[in-house]
Amino acid sequence: DTAVSQTPKYLVTQMGNDKSIKCEQNLGHDTMYWYKQDSKKFLKIMFSYNNKELIINETVPNRFSPKSPDKAHLNLHINSLELGDSAVYFCASSQEETSGQETQYFGPGTRLLVL
Amino acid sequence: GENVEQHPSTLSVQEGDSAVIKCTYSDSASNYFPWYKQELGKRPQLIIDIRSNVGEKKDQRIAVTLNKTAKHFSLHITETQPEDSAVYFCAASMSRDTGKLIFGQGTTLQVKP
């Protein structure tokens, strides 16, 4: 019954590798996001999708490519991993209403360590 | 673009005392201000939010105030308990920016028993 889930929870890999992180939400939300939390705990938005359409792309290197096969899933593929990509990546989802922003619910996070 | 500044970066209080965390934002078009609590190794979780048409909102021991003129908002926790210890993030967003939350730098709150 988990609302927003991510896999894997931990990811340790070598520089130069390509990896993917998957996110699924069962809340029926139409907007999903990827955030990066660095070692100083700073949370920064990377991407958002609304009904499978890319809405926000925050000057993220093009080695990062999000993909939304349907509105319940938003995956993140990272090519040619670099040391600086080490961080915790959080997926989130929300339901946009005409009255304004609604709560964003976060997944458990994927801890990526690039060696 | 929008910028959110959060202070203090760390806050230590005795159990039972109050804690106040303050944030300022740069874009006057911001109209949604959530606060998230993140325990060690866990996901951020919403604890309270406020919209620009409201000046204050309260939920048990937690309250948030918003001053649109000064572009700042604050989180107030009364009667703090050790389980309130966590990192707290403020954020701001504009409805025209479809869900784009700009987060403050976070405040590590330690409540000493």
Side-chain angles (χ1 to χ4, degrees):
Chain A
D1 60 341
T2 306
V4 183
S5 58
Q6 292 179 230
T7 54
K9 192 170 181 179
Y10 299 97
L11 189 49
V12 181
T13 189
Q14 298 288 330
M15 264 198 315
N17 284 350
D18 303 338
K19 290 293 178 185
S20 291
I21 308 171
K22 295 186 176 182
C23 178
E24 177 181 2
Q25 54 94 4
N26 62 6
L27 297 166
H29 290 165
D30 53 19
T31 307
M32 296 183 72
Y33 314 81
W34 278 110
Y35 287 87
K36 179 180 181 181
Q37 186 170 45
D38 61 23
S39 57
K40 294 182 180 177
K41 299 291 186 185
F42 188 57
L43 265 169
K44 185 171 167 56
I45 191 163
M46 300 172 69
F47 302 102
S48 85
Y49 270 74
N50 181 275
N51 281 315
K52 302 196 301 175
E53 181 185 345
L54 181 65
I55 300 298
I56 297 171
N57 183 342
E58 284 292 301
T59 60
V60 177
N62 57 16
R63 298 183 295 104
F64 290 79
S65 52
K67 283 188 173 52
S68 183
D70 55 62
K71 75 173 197 175
H73 295 85
L74 180 62
N75 304 323
L76 184 65
H77 188 75
I78 315 171
N79 288 327
S80 304
L81 278 155
E82 300 178 357
L83 294 176
D85 297 332
S86 297
V88 181
Y89 292 84
F90 286 101
C91 176
S93 74
S94 71
Q95 182 65 30
E96 188 185 356
E97 301 289 347
T98 53
S99 57
Q101 291 299 319
E102 292 300 319
T103 302
Q104 289 190 23
Y105 294 89
F106 283 77
T110 295
R111 285 145 187 84
L112 172 64
L113 177 60
V114 183
L115 302 174
Chain B
E2 174 69 285
N3 185 46
V4 177
E5 296 286 332
Q6 182 173 346
H7 298 280
S9 57
T10 60
L11 181 58
S12 182
V13 300
Q14 287 295 133
E15 182 177 359
D17 287 350
S18 295
V20 180
I21 302 171
K22 298 182 179 182
C23 289
T24 58
Y25 59 98
S26 60
D27 196 324
S28 56
S30 293
N31 57 6
Y32 175 63
F33 307 92
W35 285 88
Y36 282 83
K37 175 184 180 182
Q38 186 179 25
E39 296 177 356
L40 189 63
K42 301 283 181 66
R43 72 188 80 192
Q45 290 195 293
L46 181 84
I47 53 172
I48 196 165
D49 58 10
I50 192 166
R51 299 184 192 277
S52 59
N53 58 350
V54 174
E56 184 174 354
K57 187 176 177 180
K58 201 170 183 179
D59 182 4
Q60 299 182 351
R61 296 186 298 110
I62 294 172
V64 57
T65 58
L66 171 64
N67 183 328
K68 284 194 298 182
T69 305
K71 291 190 283 188
H72 67 68
F73 56 113
S74 301
L75 177 72
H76 304 252
I77 307 174
T78 57
E79 300 170 34
T80 53
Q81 300 165 4
E83 49 266 37
D84 294 330
S85 297
V87 180
Y88 290 81
F89 293 95
C90 64
S93 126
M94 294 176 277
S95 55
R96 69 165 185 256
D97 261 349
T98 317
K100 179 178 173 181
L101 281 179
I102 304 299
F103 282 87
Q105 298 90 336
T107 296
T108 301
L109 173 64
Q110 182 187 26
V111 180
K112 297 177 183 175

